[in-house]
Amino acid sequence: MGTFCSVIKFENLQELKRLCHWGPIIALGVIAICSTMAMIDSVLWYWPLHTTGGSVNFIMLINWTIMILYNYFNAVFVGPGFVPLGWKPENSQDSMYLQYCKVCQAYKAPRSHHCRKCNRCVMKMDHHCPWINNCCGYQNHASFTLFLLLAPLGCIHAAFIFIMTMYTQLYNRLSFGWNTVRIDMSAARRDPLPLVPFGLAAFAATLFALGLAIGTTIAVGMLFFIQMKIVLRNKTSIESWIEEKAKDRIQYYQLDEVFVFPYDLGSRWKNFKQVFTWSGVPEGDGLEWPIREGCHQYTLTIEQLKQKADKRVRSVRYKVIEDYSGACCPLNKGIKTFFTSPCTEEPRIRLQKGEFILATRGLRYWLYGDKLLDDSFIEGVSRMRGWFPRNCVEKCPCDAETNQAPEGEKKNR
């Protein structure tokens, strides 16, 4: 009883409001529809009480549902972990390597970033996900990734049940030339008849659930592969953009240096263990991180300070070469662009050929930045901010906007 009371606290109950959002409502709705229909169709197709196979099938289905919901709620309620308010490094001299957050009244720990939705600095922030209405970061990265793995696997199982149920139920009612197919239908013929009649409504519901299962498998499966690439490199999507801008800065100023990402431990297995552990608790404390040999604990934060000081790399200028309607998942921009649309509530920018964009961060097929609403690229002018496809723009050559340095200064920086 004491353990139960320690879990049910006022603060935890307050977190329930995270479910009152379109993302969790849709996600839990899809899980509920697919799970419920799969269980009903399992009774119709493969009666669980008469055969061992039917029992195993039904138990596996329940197991998928429990594991999916467990990891989903972990990702929602455990959260990413936030930098303590007022935090500062133990060694006061290290604060010179860190950015200061005025909102949290604290220094940003290595790998942390401020989330405008959560209104806190998030440890090892990857992104704010609307489907869990929370950030994906240090503490819930493993649960979030496992959810992305288990959801497609469960949907594949459910889709198989839906297909077999429709096939077995329609086998003796309709003739589409199926009599040439050799499938053992003994499991479908039993006495007494099924408790749930398979009428037109049940057929329509099963077909709808099948569409949801297939769509979820494709969409969530692709997100899983993206997350696994990040995990195996021990890198977040934000850090990937910082690394890209670091290479751009070095190339532009013709510097005799190579930027080495400090948190890639050189082994995929070692990187994997930084997120996934047997205890379920990630390695470290979210404030200090193991680094590869030859790097500094603040290598990445120092690079961020350089980019912040260098106005040219704070935003990279792009020219629009192809119109974009502002659609969330544009079909006419390529299949990869369609399926890798950012899972965020941030808006998309409508683009017209010839316009200019200042990109501040991005993904492989998408960029995020500002579209200035007049011809002058001056700090403080009116602008529109959001996401847009990378294949609609091209990087501009160095000009006045990039604050091009003289040849001598390039080599000296």
Side-chain angles (χ1 to χ4, degrees):
M1 184 66 180
T3 304
F4 178 77
C5 291
S6 66
V7 174
I8 306 300
K9 296 179 180 178
F10 177 75
E11 292 83 357
N12 293 338
L13 292 176
Q14 283 290 94
E15 285 294 305
L16 290 175
K17 65 183 180 182
R18 289 193 179 276
L19 299 179
C20 301
H21 180 267
W22 64 264
I25 291 173
I26 293 175
L28 292 173
V30 171
I31 294 171
I33 291 172
C34 290
S35 299
T36 303
M37 287 305 303
M39 291 178 188
I40 294 173
D41 285 359
S42 290
V43 174
L44 289 170
W45 167 56
Y46 210 173
W47 182 245
L49 300 181
H50 286 182
T51 62
T52 303
S55 300
V56 171
N57 173 70
F58 199 78
I59 291 172
M60 283 183 63
L61 192 60
I62 295 175
N63 188 50
W64 287 127
T65 304
I66 293 174
M67 290 194 298
I68 289 170
L69 289 175
Y70 174 78
N71 284 284
Y72 180 81
F73 287 128
N74 261 352
V76 174
F77 295 123
V78 171
F82 302 108
V83 178
L85 296 175
W87 179 85
K88 58 183 178 181
E90 293 182 4
N91 186 353
S92 59
Q93 293 183 349
D94 291 342
S95 60
M96 64 183 294
Y97 303 125
L98 301 172
Q99 297 183 58
Y100 187 79
C101 178
K102 295 180 180 179
V103 177
C104 299
Q105 295 292 303
Y107 286 95
K108 295 181 182 179
R111 311 192 77 177
S112 68
H113 301 273
H114 187 84
C115 175
R116 286 173 292 178
K117 292 289 184 180
C118 298
N119 203 33
R120 288 289 299 276
C121 286
V122 178
M123 296 177 179
K124 193 190 174 186
M125 179 178 175
D126 185 80
H127 67 288
H128 185 93
C129 179
W131 303 111
I132 63 174
N133 194 24
N134 209 338
C135 279
C136 174
Y138 164 66
Q139 290 185 350
N140 65 352
H141 201 172
S143 297
F144 181 75
T145 307
L146 285 173
F147 166 72
L148 297 182
L149 169 64
L150 294 170
L153 293 178
C155 284
I156 290 172
H157 186 190
F160 178 76
I161 292 174
F162 297 148
I163 293 171
M164 292 306 299
T165 300
M166 289 189 292
Y167 180 83
T168 55
Q169 293 299 315
L170 297 176
Y171 184 83
N172 293 324
R173 307 183 190 194
L174 301 174
S175 177
F176 293 117
W178 291 353
N179 56 341
T180 59
V181 180
R182 296 289 182 265
I183 295 181
D184 182 11
M185 304 300 293
S186 58
R189 304 190 187 98
R190 67 173 192 274
D191 193 27
L193 294 174
L195 297 176
V196 182
F198 192 79
L200 182 61
F203 175 78
T206 300
L207 197 61
F208 177 71
L210 176 62
L212 281 181
I214 294 175
T216 301
T217 300
I218 295 172
V220 180
M222 292 191 68
L223 291 176
F224 168 73
F225 283 110
I226 293 172
Q227 282 298 313
M228 279 308 300
K229 287 176 65 176
I230 287 173
V231 169
L232 294 177
R233 296 172 183 175
N234 201 12
K235 188 183 299 184
T236 67
S237 57
I238 296 176
E239 290 167 350
S240 298
W241 178 244
I242 294 172
E243 184 180 26
E244 183 177 335
K245 291 199 291 184
K247 294 177 180 178
D248 179 72
R249 180 182 64 83
I250 292 171
Q251 180 182 7
Y252 176 76
Y253 290 112
Q254 300 176 11
L255 301 176
D256 188 19
E257 63 180 75
V258 177
F259 178 78
V260 179
F261 185 72
Y263 306 115
D264 186 347
L265 302 181
S267 165
R268 291 186 177 183
W269 175 241
K270 290 181 180 178
N271 292 338
F272 181 84
K273 290 193 297 182
Q274 288 294 305
V275 177
F276 295 96
T277 60
W278 289 111
S279 64
V281 179
E283 292 284 345
D285 60 1
L287 300 174
E288 293 187 7
W289 305 91
I291 56 176
R292 67 186 303 166
E293 188 176 351
C295 291
H296 190 270
Q297 181 66 231
Y298 301 106
T299 296
L300 192 67
T301 57
I302 291 173
E303 176 59 34
Q304 287 178 263
L305 291 172
K306 289 180 180 178
Q307 294 179 9
K308 187 176 181 180
D310 188 348
K311 183 181 176 182
R312 191 198 67 83
V313 297
R314 285 173 61 185
S315 55
V316 182
R317 187 185 184 200
Y318 288 85
K319 182 178 181 180
V320 180
I321 59 174
E322 187 177 327
D323 291 347
Y324 167 54
S325 64
C328 181
C329 301
L331 282 169
N332 61 339
K333 301 303 178 185
I335 192 71
K336 293 181 178 178
T337 301
F338 176 81
F339 282 113
T340 58
S341 178
C343 293
T344 174
E345 294 176 301
E346 293 169 319
R348 273 53 171 177
I349 304 179
R350 186 174 182 177
L351 303 178
Q352 292 184 346
K353 189 175 181 180
E355 293 179 330
F356 292 92
I357 297 288
L358 297 177
T360 55
R361 54 188 169 95
L363 305 172
R364 185 171 182 180
Y365 298 104
W366 289 82
L367 290 171
Y368 181 87
D370 302 326
K371 180 175 78 169
L372 278 70
L373 302 182
D374 57 21
D375 295 332
S376 60
F377 289 89
I378 303 173
E379 194 71 25
V381 299
S382 180
R383 61 183 65 198
M384 186 182 298
R385 177 172 293 175
W387 290 93
F388 52 93
R390 191 185 283 263
N391 57 8
C392 290
V393 297
E394 65 178 5
K395 190 178 293 186
C396 293
C398 298
D399 57 8
E401 165 57 19
T402 62
N403 293 334
Q404 183 173 358
E407 289 298 323
E409 185 181 347
K410 287 184 182 181
K411 295 179 181 179
N412 293 332
R413 291 194 61 162

